[in-house]
Amino acid sequence: MATTTNKQRTLNQLLAVANSGTDSRGKSSKEESVCANLPVLEQVIFALCRENATLAQAQLAFENLKTRFFDWNEIRVSTIRELEEALAGLSDAETRAQRLVAFLQEVFEERFAFELEDLHKKGVKQAAKKLTNYGAANEYVGSWVVQRSLGGHAIPVDAATLRCARRLGLIDSSIEDPESARAALEHLVPKAKGVQFTDAISEIAESHCWEVDPNCSRCSLQSDCPTALESRGEQLSTTRVSRTKPR
Ligand code: SF4
């Protein structure tokens, strides 16, 4: 189990990589700013696209929604098939399309309009509760919107974030559910670094920390990452055993 000092050192290393401004593919982390100033309703929809997707996939899907349809009402009354086409490239596009329509329908029935800006006037806790009460939202969506639009401290945790945070030892390997991971990460990561952390861990998960065969030898966190160190130790001991001469 990583000590608090080790977790802090790894976190600093992760944030330093993000601070360098570019990842291994030369992409600027500033690309994430596409969602920096979205109205609350649009931030919810961006989060529906972003969960378990890369930044590029989410951006493309979100742009498709904004350009292929006249407005959010047209999306609300469109068929799931039409929305699936706009969301192509995202995993489980059909379920995402259903959640999108359900969310817009719920907002429309409640307000006869497509805006949620009044949530800015509620306290962060109240606003987060309101958001997660929408049937189509979930913990990830609520945390994303709190972090990006409502000025609160929340760390959205999807499968990639959970995987990468466990491998890096930022959360204990016994933590398997996103809710516990979120609580642990919100304790570890300062509020002022929340967005940077979320973007950085997402970039590492996308560029190197793949679900199968992570590319540790090319990952800039390999010198601090317990998973990479463990795997290197195993490789070394295997090499030593195989070099031992038979008697
Ligand atoms: S060193 Fe390997 S396991 Fe650790 S974060 Fe990088 S890719 Fe993932």
Side-chain angles (χ1 to χ4, degrees):
M1 190 183 291
T3 64
T4 306
T5 313
N6 288 346
K7 285 180 187 175
Q8 208 59 55
R9 197 180 57 219
T10 306
L11 174 65
N12 291 341
Q13 186 65 27
L14 176 67
L15 295 175
V17 169
N19 267 339
S20 69
T22 56
D23 65 15
S24 60
R25 298 150 300 152
K27 286 172 71 175
S28 165
S29 57
K30 290 192 178 118
E31 283 173 272
E32 192 76 66
S33 65
V34 69
C35 61
N37 298 310
L38 292 177
V40 176
L41 180 119
E42 295 192 17
Q43 198 70 271
V44 172
I45 294 167
F46 189 86
L48 284 171
C49 298
R50 186 69 171 93
E51 183 178 10
N52 293 323
T54 65
L55 173 63
Q57 288 168 338
Q59 280 180 334
L60 180 62
F62 187 72
E63 297 281 316
N64 283 344
L65 291 173
K66 299 259 297 183
T67 53
R68 292 189 191 180
F69 299 89
F70 180 69
D71 58 14
W72 298 117
N73 193 51
E74 190 188 346
I75 292 177
R76 178 182 70 93
V77 296
S78 292
T79 64
I80 297 301
R81 175 58 66 90
E82 285 170 319
L83 295 176
E84 264 186 86
E85 282 170 19
L87 300 176
L90 296 180
S91 60
D92 215 354
E94 184 181 355
T95 305
R96 289 185 205 252
Q98 287 165 346
R99 286 173 70 197
L100 175 58
V101 169
F103 169 66
L104 291 172
Q105 184 64 31
E106 220 176 329
V107 172
F108 183 72
E109 283 173 11
E110 181 187 62
R111 299 163 178 251
F112 296 107
F114 295 102
E115 62 88 21
L116 295 173
E117 291 309 287
D118 59 304
L119 292 190
H120 283 293
K121 295 184 195 139
K122 294 183 186 280
V124 173
K125 270 193 181 167
Q126 280 292 318
K129 194 167 170 215
K130 173 72 189 156
L131 278 172
T132 45
N133 278 345
Y134 286 111
N138 59 11
E139 280 276 324
Y140 180 93
V141 171
S143 301
W144 180 277
V145 179
V146 166
Q147 185 194 66
R148 305 281 159 155
S149 291
L150 299 176
H153 184 37
I155 303 288
V157 176
D158 62 3
T161 303
L162 180 61
R163 175 179 76 241
C164 203
R166 289 179 69 198
R167 285 176 177 169
L168 282 166
L170 294 173
I171 56 174
D172 297 340
S173 55
S174 57
I175 294 180
E176 288 181 357
D177 64 294
E179 269 184 52
S180 306
R182 182 170 68 81
L185 289 171
E186 286 171 6
H187 185 67
L188 178 73
V189 180
K191 180 185 171 200
K193 302 286 182 189
V195 168
Q196 198 184 353
F197 168 82
T198 301
D199 294 351
I201 202 159
S202 171
E203 281 185 13
I204 290 289
E206 184 189 338
S207 60
H208 296 98
C209 202
W210 309 318
E211 189 171 357
V212 179
D213 291 335
N215 194 0
C216 299
S217 61
R218 293 288 179 101
C219 178
S220 31
L221 299 171
Q222 59 175 293
S223 54
D224 286 302
C225 175
T227 304
L229 293 172
E230 195 179 312
S231 144
R232 212 179 307 150
E234 276 169 15
Q235 279 168 13
L236 275 175
S237 64
T238 309
T239 311
R240 280 194 199 114
V241 167
S242 63
R243 280 185 189 158
T244 307
K245 284 185 184 172
R247 289 174 187 264

